[in-house]
Amino acid sequence: MTTIKVSTGVLTNVDGSSQFECRDTKVLCAVTGPVEPKARQELPTRLALEVVVRPAKGVPNTREKLMEDRLRAVLTPLIVCSKYPRQLCQITCQILEAGEDEGEFSQKELSCCINAAFLALIDAQLALHSFSSSVSLAVLKESGELVLNPTGDLLKVSLSAHTLALELTDGSKKVANVLLLDSNGDFTDAQLLKVLQVGEQGCLEQAQFMRNFLAAKITDEIVRTKVNDNGN
Amino acid sequence: MAKDIEISTSEAQFILEALKQNGRLDGRSFDQFRDVEISFGREYGDVTVKMGNTKVQCRISCQIAQPYEDRPFEGLFLISTESSPMAGPQFENGNNTGEDEVLCARIIEKAVRRSGALDVEGLCIVAGSKCWAVRADVHFLDCDGGFIDASCVAVMTALLHFKKPDISVLGDRVTVHPVDEREPVSLGILHIPICVTFSFFNPQDTEENIKGDSNSEIAIIDATLKEELLRDGTLTVTLNKNREVVQVSKAGGLPMDALSLMENCHKAYTITERLTEQILDVIKKDDAERNKYATLLSSENARET
Amino acid sequence: MSRLEIYSPEGLRLDGRRWNELRRFECSINTHSHAADGSSYLEQGNNKVITLVKGPQEPSSRSQVDTAKALLRISVNITKFSKTERSKTSHKNERRVLEMQTALVRTFNKNVMLNVYPRTLINIEVHVLQQDGGIMGSLINGITLALIDAGIAMYDYISGVSVGLYDTTPLLDTNSLEENAMSTVTLGVVGKTEKLSLLLVEDKIPLDRLENVLAIGIAGTHRIRDLMDKELRKRAEKRVANALSR
C-alpha cells in the first residue's frame, strides 16, 4: 500500500482538523460546525456546507472552484445533513504541498482533500452515514501500466488520470457506492474497469489504515482520560 | 483580530488582574517572545513557522512576467495574506477588508516589500520585457495571536530559502533551465526585517492614562489571542540587524509615553538580533542537509590559488 | 528628475523654511453649519481638508448599536484631483485608505468619551481637497477641530504632524517633495503631554535617531495644538460677543 501519513486534531481554533499526506501531496483540512449560518446560507431542513479549497500557491481560481464542487458532491451524501437543520458547516482545505503540476492536474490534490475532509469531519464529531476513502490513479503512457497514487512525475507521463472516491460499509470491507469517479485523458472502457478494480482495492486498504489510526487514537485518548480519572 | 469571539467577563478580569500582578497565563514574563519553531517543506521556499499555537505557512513561487512600464528594470514581488476560517471562526472566507486583516497585510507589506528586503532589480531578465514575478503566499493555519510577527519570520525565511530556476539569456531568447539540469539560484535578500508586536494594557482609568504622570501602562511582547482580545493598544516595530527601524505602526489605541515607546524599540532590537540569527542558522542547516552529497558529486579539483 | 536641494547648507528647505518650522497653518470651524453637527476646514501648507462630524445620532442599523458606548466611524475621501496629477481611480477601498481610516478610528476611540453617548453613532467624513505630504497629521487635526465644534466630549486635543529625517537633520512638517526624498515619521500626540496616540514610520530610519525625531515632532504637535486652541478661542469669543450684543 502507498505510505500515507495521517494526523487529526492538529488545529486549536476549529472543531475538527486533520492533515493527510500521500506521497508528495499534503493537505490540511479544518472543519467548523455545526454553527449558526448567515441568512443567505441557511437551509430550512438541512445542514448547509461551505466548502473552500485553497491552493498552495497563487490565488484560487476555477480549478479550485471545481475541486470545491467535487468535494461537496462527495461529502454531502456522507454527512447526516437532516440532523442539523438551519446550521452551517465550514470545511476549509488548505493544500500545503500540491505534488503535481497545478496547471494540468488536480487529481492527487482532490483525493487528498476528500480524505482529509472526511477525517476532519470525524474529528469534529459530525454525524456521518458511512466511511469513505479516496485514491488517485494514473495509466502510464508507454507501458499502459496502472499506478495507484502516482507521484507528480508519473502523472506527467500518464495517458489518463483518475480520482476515485468510494462509500464503504460493513466495517469498511465492502463498497456501498461510488461517490466520485473523475477521469481525464484518453482511456478505454477496459482500462476504466481496471481503474475501478485497482482503485477499490486501494480504497479498502487505505480505509483500514485510516480506521486503525482512528481506533488507536481513540483508545489512546480513552486510556489517558481513565488514567487521569484514577489519578484524581 | 477577532470580532466574533468573545471572552467571558470573569476570564477577562482574571487575565487583567494577573497582568497587574506581573503574571501571564502561559507563565511568560512581559518581554519574553515565544519560542519560534521553523520547519521546511519538501520544496524550496516552503516554510512553516510555529509560535506557541500560532501556525503560519509561507510559500514562495515565481514565474516569468512583464515588468511594469514605469519600472522596466525591476521584477515583480507580491505578498498575499489571505485568511480563512481555518485559523479560527473570527475569520471569514474571502473577506479581507476587516480592520485587523488590512492592518496585518499592510504592516507585512511595509516591513518586507516597501523596505526593499528583496532585491527586485535582481529579478530583471530582459529590461522592459521580461522579469521574474515572485509571489509569497502566506497561509494562516492556526491563530493564537502574533500573526504579524510570525508571518514576517515566515516570509523572510521562505525568501531566503527559495531558489528560482537558473536562466540564460541569448539576445531576446530566454532559456529556463529545469532544476535537475542546473543548480537553481537563490534570491537576493538585502536585509532581514523582523516584526515585534507589543500590546498595551491600562491598569488605571482613562484620565490617569491621558493626564497623569505615572506612566504605569503595561506593555507585553508577543500577546496570545486572549491577550490580543483584551488589549487597549498595540505597537508593531520592525527592525533589522543593522539597527534600522524599518517600520513602526502604532495605529491609535492607548496613548503611550514617547520614552516608553523608545524603550520598547530597544527591547525589540535584542529580539530582532536573536531571531535573525535563528533564521540564518536554520537556513544553513537545511542547506547542508539538502546538499549532503554535493561535495561527493562535485568534480571540482582542489586547486591552489 | 533634476536634483533638488532638500536642505541647503545654509539651513533652508525647498520652501524656504528652517528645519524646525511648521508650514502655514490656518483653520476654521463651523464651516458647514447646515450640513453637519460639527465641521472644520483646515489648511496646513498645501493640504486642504474639510471635516464633517455628524452625530451623536441614531444608528441607521441595529448592528451599529452598542449599549455601552457610541460607535465612531470615519471615512476618508481622497478626491481624484487632490494631487498635481489627476488620479484615474477613486481611492475608496484602497488598502492604504482603509488603513488610514482604521488608524484614525483607533486614535480617536481612546480620546473621545464614547461612554457618555451610548447607543449612538458618530459619523465623521473627511474630504481631502488637496494634499501635499503629511496628510495623516492634517486629518487628525481636522477631525479634532470638527469634534470640538460638534461639542463632543473629549479628554484633550490630538494634534498630528510628520517629521522627516534628512541625513541626520530632522525636518518638521514635511511636504510631499520632502516626503518622497526621505523617511518620515507621523505622530499623533495627546494635548500638551508626551503621550503618543499614533506613531507611524513607513521607511527606514536608524534606531538611534528615532528619539531625536520624536522630540521635534512632539514639540511641533504642541505648537499645532496651540494654533488650534487660539483659533477656537477666537471663535468662541466672537460667539459670546454676538450673543451679548443681541
Side-chain angles (χ1 to χ4, degrees), chain B residues 31-294:
Chain B
D31 39 19
Q32 192 179 347
F33 208 78
R34 281 177 284 188
D35 284 337
V36 180
E37 211 176 287
I38 304 172
S39 51
F40 298 97
R42 210 168 275 128
E43 285 175 46
Y44 285 120
D46 177 358
V47 172
T48 308
V49 168
K50 263 171 91 176
M51 275 163 52
N53 275 332
T54 298
K55 204 170 163 191
V56 173
Q57 192 210 20
C58 180
R59 194 68 197 266
I60 309 282
S61 51
C62 69
Q63 63 187 70
I64 293 178
Q66 196 173 1
Y68 290 124
E69 270 174 36
D70 51 341
R71 302 204 158 150
F73 302 107
E74 288 180 13
L76 311 179
F77 178 41
L78 181 85
I79 305 173
S80 133
T81 43
E82 273 191 37
S83 54
S84 68
M86 182 170 268
Q90 69 270 33
F91 300 102
E92 228 173 278
N93 190 40
N95 181 7
N96 289 298
T97 50
E99 284 188 3
D100 293 297
E101 276 101 326
V102 169
L103 276 192
C104 178
R106 281 283 293 167
I107 289 175
I108 296 169
E109 170 107 1
K110 278 188 238 171
V112 179
R113 207 172 81 101
R114 228 185 113 119
S115 76
L118 176 69
D119 173 25
V120 279
E121 282 176 19
L123 299 175
C124 177
I125 301 170
V126 180
S129 69
K130 284 183 191 76
C131 69
W132 285 108
V134 174
R135 187 186 165 91
D137 284 291
V138 182
H139 305 307
F140 300 127
L141 304 182
D142 207 348
C143 172
D144 191 18
F147 258 173
I148 295 174
D149 305 4
S151 314
C152 190
V153 172
V155 172
M156 285 321 299
T157 317
L159 284 174
L160 281 163
H161 188 244
F162 184 69
K163 290 192 162 90
K164 60 181 194 300
D166 198 9
I167 44 162
S168 50
V169 185
L170 238 172
D172 246 2
R173 280 174 55 98
V174 177
T175 321
V176 181
H177 301 285
V179 181
D180 47 8
E181 206 173 276
R182 262 203 213 180
E183 195 64 13
V185 284
S186 300
L187 299 171
I189 306 295
L190 302 178
H191 68 115
I192 305 174
I194 302 285
C195 295
V196 180
T197 300
F198 294 81
S199 298
F200 302 126
F201 296 86
N202 187 16
Q204 288 148 324
D205 58 352
T206 329
E207 264 137 82
E208 175 58 33
N209 166 243
I210 290 180
K211 306 281 185 194
D213 298 317
S214 61
N215 288 331
S216 54
E217 295 85 2
I218 297 169
I220 60 170
I221 290 182
D222 186 23
T224 60
L225 182 62
K226 277 182 185 156
E227 289 163 341
E228 274 187 6
L229 288 171
L230 294 171
R231 69 186 170 194
D232 296 307
T234 161
L235 161 81
T236 302
V237 186
T238 311
L239 300 164
N240 62 21
K241 230 175 73 187
N242 315 334
R243 284 188 84 81
E244 278 174 320
V245 176
V246 172
Q247 183 270 139
V248 174
S249 167
K250 183 187 184 303
L254 195 71
M256 288 293 287
D257 187 62
L259 281 177
S260 60
L261 287 181
M262 279 310 299
E263 208 177 290
N264 288 338
C265 290
H266 286 287
K267 271 184 199 163
Y269 181 69
T270 48
I271 295 173
T272 304
E273 265 186 321
R274 212 190 63 224
L275 276 179
T276 312
E277 203 109 308
Q278 190 189 345
I279 290 175
L280 292 175
D281 194 49
V282 288
I283 290 279
K284 213 166 123 188
K285 274 196 186 131
D286 181 77
D287 209 40
E289 185 65 27
R290 273 170 211 265
N291 293 322
K292 251 191 289 190
Y293 305 110

Side-chain angles (χ1 to χ4, degrees), chain C residues 159-196:
Chain C
S159 39
V161 79
S162 49
V163 188
L165 182 71
Y166 183 71
D167 198 16
T168 58
T169 325
L171 301 181
L172 186 63
D173 202 5
T174 48
N175 63 28
S176 61
L177 285 172
E178 290 168 335
E179 209 171 62
N180 289 335
M182 62 184 126
S183 342
T184 53
V185 178
T186 304
L187 302 90
V189 175
V190 183
K192 280 273 196 183
T193 65
E194 301 213 329
K195 298 223 164 168
L196 303 182

Side-chain angles (χ1 to χ4, degrees), chain C:
Chain C
M1 213 177 98
S2 64
R3 278 287 300 164
L4 288 168
E5 195 172 44
I6 299 294
Y7 190 62
S8 74
E10 295 82 38
L12 289 175
R13 289 153 71 175
L14 286 170
D15 47 10
R17 282 183 288 159
R18 306 232 170 238
W19 66 278
N20 58 354
E21 284 174 351
L22 289 169
R23 287 180 281 182
R24 182 177 59 92
F25 189 93
E26 272 171 50
C27 57
S28 48
I29 58 164
N30 215 7
T31 48
H32 299 68
S33 51
H34 296 294
D37 297 306
S39 51
S40 73
Y41 175 68
L42 175 86
E43 290 188 10
Q44 191 171 351
N46 284 326
N47 286 341
K48 294 182 182 172
V49 180
I50 291 178
T51 313
L52 305 176
V53 174
K54 294 173 186 171
Q57 60 193 15
E58 197 183 332
S60 50
S61 76
R62 285 285 300 275
S63 63
Q64 295 171 333
V65 176
D66 189 334
T67 49
K69 56 182 176 39
L71 188 87
L72 190 66
R73 228 175 40 185
I74 298 179
S75 60
V76 176
N77 169 27
I78 297 181
T79 53
K80 290 182 181 178
F81 48 82
S82 62
K83 277 189 182 171
T84 15
E85 224 163 280
R86 191 185 168 89
S87 75
K88 288 190 193 92
T89 55
S90 83
H91 299 278
K92 215 178 161 192
N93 292 332
E94 246 174 47
R95 270 209 191 150
R96 190 174 60 90
V97 177
L98 290 177
E99 186 200 13
M100 283 163 83
Q101 288 176 1
T102 309
L104 288 169
V105 168
R106 291 189 179 181
T107 306
F108 284 95
N109 258 343
K110 286 281 172 210
N111 197 47
V112 177
M113 296 182 193
L114 295 171
N115 56 320
V116 298
Y117 310 105
R119 295 171 180 278
T120 59
L121 171 73
I122 299 173
N123 208 351
I124 302 178
E125 280 172 35
V126 195
H127 301 275
V128 179
L129 304 183
Q130 200 168 287
Q131 54 171 330
D132 185 27
I135 194 69
M136 197 63 186
S138 302
L139 295 179
I140 292 175
N141 299 333
I143 294 173
T144 301
L145 287 167
L147 279 170
I148 292 172
D149 182 40
I152 290 171
M154 301 207 300
Y155 286 105
D156 211 330
Y157 287 80
I158 297 190
S159 39
V161 79
S162 49
V163 188
L165 182 71
Y166 183 71
D167 198 16
T168 58
T169 325
L171 301 181
L172 186 63
D173 202 5
T174 48
N175 63 28
S176 61
L177 285 172
E178 290 168 335
E179 209 171 62
N180 289 335
M182 62 184 126
S183 342
T184 53
V185 178
T186 304
L187 302 90
V189 175
V190 183
K192 280 273 196 183
T193 65
E194 301 213 329
K195 298 223 164 168
L196 303 182
S197 188
L198 177 118
L199 173 64
L200 296 172
V201 183
E202 302 208 323
D203 302 283
K204 281 188 214 163
I205 274 190
L207 178 57
D208 306 305
R209 299 254 172 243
L210 191 60
E211 200 163 342
N212 241 334
V213 174
L214 291 186
I216 177 71
I218 290 173
T221 51
H222 287 170
R223 179 84 191 111
I224 288 178
R225 192 213 87 106
D226 289 341
L227 288 168
M228 293 198 290
D229 193 61
K230 205 171 109 196
E231 175 63 29
L232 285 167
R233 283 183 197 279
K234 208 167 81 189
R235 184 90 196 178
E237 270 161 24
K238 232 184 234 170
R239 270 197 200 176
V240 173
N242 272 349
L244 287 177
S245 65
R246 229 176 262 157

